[in-house]
Amino acid sequence: MVNKTLVNKTPLVVNSTAKELLDALVPLMQDLSRDLSDTERYRRLLQSLRALFPSDATALLRLDGDTLVPLAIDGLTSDTLGRRFRVAEHPRFAQLLAQSGPTRFAADSNLPDPYDGLVKGVSGDLEVHDCLGCPLFIGGRPWGLLTLDALDPARFDSVDMGALEAFLSLAAATVSVVERIDSLARTSEQEHERAEAYRQASAPSRREMIGASKQHKRLQDEIAIVAKSDLTVLVTGETGVGKELVASAIHALSPRAGKPLISVNCAALPDTLVESELFGHVRGAFSGASSDRRGKFELADGGTLFLDEVGELPLAVQAKLLRVLQNGQLQRIGSDGEHTVDVRLIAATNRDLAHEVREGRFRADFYHRLSVYPLVVPPLRERGRDVLLLAGYFLEENRRRLGLQSLRLAADAQTALLGYAWPGNVRELEHLIGRTALKALAAHRERPRILTLQAADFGLSDAAGQLISPPQTEPAPQAPSPAQQDFRGAVTSFERTLLLDALARHDQNWAAAARDLGMDRANLNRLARRLGLK
Ligand SMILES: Nc1ncnc2c1ncn2[C@@H]1O[C@H](COP(=O)(O)OP(=O)(O)OP(=O)(O)O)[C@@H](O)[C@H]1O
Ligand SMILES: [Mg+2]
């Protein structure tokens, strides 16, 4: 038989002076309007509780479903914070929660104490002690518990009920301030996430993919084909070739185009955040996780998730991603629940992932899962005259930005651009044109209406080492000897120079260039195609 005494049925023993009560409550009231962290607010609450009702241990626990989660403790061993008390397994807690006011357990109560062995500095079982607890209600619903324990079995004999009730009201106010702040923070974070998804989905009209070369058309065709499917695409290619643009083109042409395209730059995330960024977390999953957060996977539900720089993902995260990709089941960090997401995946990298796998830096199974449809974006130097089309596109952008009537390339500048190897690909071209236009404009004392960029303005001729290398020939069954390779390479590069020079002399007029070289037009076209210039 439980021998318990309800404190609110014991006669009031008034031993707290009004002054003591005020001293304890006033700082708490002041705290309500201060900008404090949850932890600090709760710590101060327990501090005041202990000042008002001297005890050996106090705790604030939040009821989370059928479990009590300690939020703050004082006088208990620190591992207590990690414990989760199932109410059904702790009859004392169950009794405390069943009352509307404070409950005090008799020293000889035979109910096991949930804090047995947890009071600091006391080893073994708690022998006799005084134990008092009060439920906290928010909006009429039980929110959690405040508990007080004393090793001296008579410590709480003299508890002043009026003071305790006053304290409880303030404790409830403190807790509800925290809840309200948290829920505001959560709402604002969700708003932010929604805005981000919206922004990504409705980003100002995607940049058009410029190009007319055979390689460009082949890429466009592949994009159109794969976009219709739900296959995972691995976009590879050198830096600056346009992998990101390809990913957004795939999404835009896919049946998911009306849903968000969510991008994650795997290289820009610290290891510790990758998981939470991708999968989300629940409140309290780790320090700093002050509210639930949806991961990119959830944000992309129904749409496309773009994992940029996927080669940079830590191995452990690759394993987790693989699991999600295999069964479509997602789990937020710190949560037991799984839910299903419908996400189409596109990944990009400029690393050679097969090589990374051989080096043990990338998981083979994850690599195979990603490269269901590999898409290679060719380097700019293999796209022939696309260089000039792209240059035109960027020139027009800069013309508009600089407020010029016309921004043009001189013939020698065109030759220089066509003859350069573009190690940084389209991005390098984009930046070079922006920089060169700005410098050339600054060199004029009076602002011209028409600005023509000369080869010298680009400063590419002195980067001799970076001039275009002979196009790669198809790998022969047997590798040619070095001598053969050099000869072929030299001839190709000589042909290219001759052709580009002739074109430059005749202002890119092909018929005139053919006449100049003593070739007929058809042969010149054939040569230009072989050299990747047409
Ligand atoms: N075909 C194209 N037409 C117009 N602009 C392009 C084209 N290809 C690339 N660009 C532009 O070139 C720049 C670089 O492209 P992007 O960022 O997609 O390259 P990337 O391959 O992802 O580079 P990195 O490997 O460095 O991440 C961007 O400003 C992009 O809009
Ligand atoms: Mg990129």
Side-chain angles (χ1 to χ4, degrees), residues 379-396:
L380 183 55
R381 66 181 165 281
E382 286 174 16
R383 295 190 228 167
R385 295 177 66 80
D386 277 0
V387 173
L388 294 185
L389 298 191
L390 283 160
Y393 182 84
F394 298 131
L395 283 167
E396 188 54 23

Side-chain angles (χ1 to χ4, degrees), residues 3 30 178:
N3 180 5
Q30 285 166 339
V178 170

Side-chain angles (χ1 to χ4, degrees), residues 224-256:
I225 293 168
V226 77
K228 300 279 171 282
S229 77
D230 237 1
L231 298 180
T232 300
V233 184
L234 178 63
V235 187
T236 55
E238 293 175 13
T239 177
V241 282
K243 297 185 289 295
E244 197 172 335
L245 208 53
V246 167
S248 57
I250 297 175
H251 173 75
L253 292 176
S254 78
R256 295 168 179 261

Side-chain angles (χ1 to χ4, degrees), residues 111-378:
L111 293 178
D113 192 291
Y115 299 143
D116 273 353
L118 301 181
V119 177
K120 261 188 190 158
V122 181
S123 52
D125 292 350
L126 280 182
E127 287 299 328
V128 276
H129 77 301
D130 211 351
C131 173
L132 180 63
C134 342
L136 290 177
F137 289 88
I138 300 222
R141 290 216 301 271
W143 176 89
L145 284 180
L146 262 177
T147 60
L148 287 128
D149 285 76
L151 297 174
D152 163 10
R155 177 76 63 81
F156 300 138
D157 280 353
S158 55
V159 159
D160 172 351
M161 274 311 299
L164 188 57
E165 298 284 359
F167 186 88
L168 284 177
S169 317
L170 258 182
T174 301
V175 163
S176 83
V177 160
V178 170
E179 295 277 296
R180 211 161 294 156
I181 292 173
D182 275 1
S183 100
L184 279 177
R186 236 187 335 268
T187 317
S188 112
E189 183 152 16
Q190 276 163 5
E191 288 300 318
H192 176 78
E193 283 168 356
R194 230 172 270 143
E196 190 192 6
Y198 181 76
R199 189 184 54 71
Q200 289 208 13
S202 63
S205 61
R206 195 173 55 78
R207 180 178 270 182
E208 183 191 348
M209 288 188 70
I210 304 292
S213 64
K214 204 168 61 204
Q215 291 82 345
H216 176 82
K217 287 193 182 126
R218 201 183 302 143
L219 180 66
Q220 295 285 72
D221 290 346
E222 273 199 287
I223 290 174
I225 293 168
V226 77
K228 300 279 171 282
S229 77
D230 237 1
L231 298 180
T232 300
V233 184
L234 178 63
V235 187
T236 55
E238 293 175 13
T239 177
V241 282
K243 297 185 289 295
E244 197 172 335
L245 208 53
V246 167
S248 57
I250 297 175
H251 173 75
L253 292 176
S254 78
R256 295 168 179 261
K259 294 287 172 64
L261 164 68
I262 302 291
S263 303
V264 192
N265 186 338
C266 304
L269 287 175
D271 278 11
T272 46
L273 281 186
V274 190
E275 264 188 78
S276 131
E277 193 73 13
L278 288 174
F279 309 125
H281 60 244
V282 293
R283 172 192 155 118
F286 47 86
S287 64
S290 58
S291 60
D292 289 0
R293 180 152 199 249
R294 293 198 292 164
K296 300 277 188 189
F297 257 101
E298 276 176 83
L299 290 174
D301 200 9
T304 307
L305 181 67
F306 174 45
L307 292 179
D308 204 1
E309 318 272 5
V310 74
E312 317 303 315
L313 271 184
L315 283 161
V317 181
Q318 292 174 26
K320 297 207 169 120
L321 260 171
L322 185 65
R323 206 174 56 87
V324 176
L325 295 181
Q326 276 164 347
N327 60 14
Q329 294 284 306
L330 192 71
Q331 203 172 20
R332 286 187 185 172
I333 305 177
S335 151
D336 295 335
E338 291 205 322
H339 48 267
T340 315
V341 279
D342 164 32
V343 166
R344 196 260 176 96
L345 198 71
I346 304 179
T349 180
N350 53 22
R351 291 197 188 219
D352 176 354
L353 284 192
H355 175 75
E356 296 297 301
V357 168
R358 283 194 297 277
E359 296 291 307
R361 288 191 292 262
F362 208 84
R363 288 181 65 109
D365 45 9
F366 187 48
Y367 168 60
H368 293 302
R369 185 66 186 67
L370 285 184
S371 56
V372 176
Y373 195 106
L375 201 60
V376 184
V377 186

Side-chain angles (χ1 to χ4, degrees), residues 301-532:
D301 200 9
T304 307
L305 181 67
F306 174 45
L307 292 179
D308 204 1
E309 318 272 5
V310 74
E312 317 303 315
L313 271 184
L315 283 161
V317 181
Q318 292 174 26
K320 297 207 169 120
L321 260 171
L322 185 65
R323 206 174 56 87
V324 176
L325 295 181
Q326 276 164 347
N327 60 14
Q329 294 284 306
L330 192 71
Q331 203 172 20
R332 286 187 185 172
I333 305 177
S335 151
D336 295 335
E338 291 205 322
H339 48 267
T340 315
V341 279
D342 164 32
V343 166
R344 196 260 176 96
L345 198 71
I346 304 179
T349 180
N350 53 22
R351 291 197 188 219
D352 176 354
L353 284 192
H355 175 75
E356 296 297 301
V357 168
R358 283 194 297 277
E359 296 291 307
R361 288 191 292 262
F362 208 84
R363 288 181 65 109
D365 45 9
F366 187 48
Y367 168 60
H368 293 302
R369 185 66 186 67
L370 285 184
S371 56
V372 176
Y373 195 106
L375 201 60
V376 184
V377 186
L380 183 55
R381 66 181 165 281
E382 286 174 16
R383 295 190 228 167
R385 295 177 66 80
D386 277 0
V387 173
L388 294 185
L389 298 191
L390 283 160
Y393 182 84
F394 298 131
L395 283 167
E396 188 54 23
E397 270 192 353
N398 282 280
R399 182 200 66 74
R400 211 175 306 127
R401 194 163 52 219
L402 299 173
L404 292 165
Q405 190 191 324
S406 171
L407 180 60
R408 314 176 337 123
L409 286 180
D412 66 346
Q414 299 192 12
T415 312
L417 295 186
L418 282 169
Y420 182 64
W422 301 109
N425 294 292
V426 186
R427 182 178 298 109
E428 185 183 8
L429 175 64
E430 181 177 5
H431 291 170
L432 180 70
I433 288 193
R435 217 168 43 232
T436 308
L438 204 62
K439 276 201 305 207
L441 186 62
H444 284 73
R445 221 170 309 134
E446 257 183 64
R447 192 181 177 80
R449 291 198 314 138
I450 298 177
L451 182 63
T452 306
L453 306 177
Q454 313 290 334
D457 294 331
F458 286 97
L460 291 176
S461 48
D462 28 70
Q466 292 184 332
L467 286 181
I468 205 152
S469 55
Q472 299 287 310
T473 44
E474 289 291 313
Q478 259 183 328
S481 71
Q484 260 178 316
Q485 220 171 20
D486 286 348
F487 178 74
R488 234 182 256 158
V491 170
T492 313
S493 119
F494 185 61
E495 286 172 328
R496 178 189 292 274
T497 314
L498 276 183
L499 203 163
L500 291 174
D501 280 354
L503 278 170
R505 275 196 304 279
H506 298 283
D507 212 6
Q508 307 301 315
N509 180 325
W510 286 82
R515 267 196 306 279
D516 192 356
L517 291 168
M519 298 171 84
D520 78 45
R521 189 62 205 277
N523 278 341
L524 182 65
N525 281 341
R526 247 193 308 280
L527 175 66
R529 271 200 294 277
R530 180 161 61 77
L531 295 175

